[in-house]
Amino acid sequence: SWVELNCSSRGKPPASFTWFRNSKHGAINVSVGQVYSFSVTEGGEFYCVATNDLGQQRSSVILVSFGVSGVGVCITVKILGLVMLCSAVIIFECWFRFFKKMTKL
């Protein structure tokens, strides 16, 4: 349930590292340091920037997702709702028939 991203370089002088997460409002600084750890539920697009006195280099984007799509959850909720509705109708129908028979006696 945890993800650990590691950034490294062989630069001289040694580099410092900053982790960014892409959002709809632009890149957000999420961590400083070679390793960035976070919960997998906080997935998204991440990249690292290595910086030293001579310049900086950006890594490629790393996409982290945890496999539960909104569409899958939506379909599951709809199916569950449909099953509950059908169950309620069946229970009501059985109850109605039972009391109808009781009134005839």
Side-chain angles (χ1 to χ4, degrees):
S1 62
W2 287 92
V3 175
E4 183 175 285
L5 302 177
N6 192 324
C7 196
S8 63
S9 78
R10 293 179 292 211
K12 289 188 180 180
S16 61
F17 304 99
T18 307
W19 285 97
F20 294 89
R21 181 176 193 251
N22 286 332
S23 76
K24 60 183 176 183
H25 303 294
I28 299 169
N29 181 331
V30 292
S31 181
V32 174
Q34 189 170 354
V35 177
Y36 174 48
S37 296
F38 58 95
S39 171
V40 71
T41 59
E42 300 172 34
E45 295 180 353
F46 299 89
Y47 65 91
C48 170
V49 175
T51 307
N52 68 10
D53 294 339
L54 302 175
Q56 65 181 24
Q57 184 71 43
R58 177 182 157 167
S59 72
S60 56
V61 172
I62 301 162
L63 176 61
V64 177
S65 64
F66 65 100
V68 176
S69 70
V71 174
V73 171
C74 184
I75 290 171
T76 302
V77 169
K78 285 181 180 180
I79 290 171
L80 183 60
L82 186 60
V83 167
M84 290 174 66
L85 179 63
C86 291
S87 298
V89 169
I90 291 169
I91 290 169
F92 178 75
E93 182 67 26
C94 291
W95 176 80
F96 183 75
R97 287 181 183 191
F98 175 77
F99 279 103
K100 190 174 180 181
K101 284 181 183 179
M102 293 299 289
T103 57
K104 286 183 179 180
L105 293 176

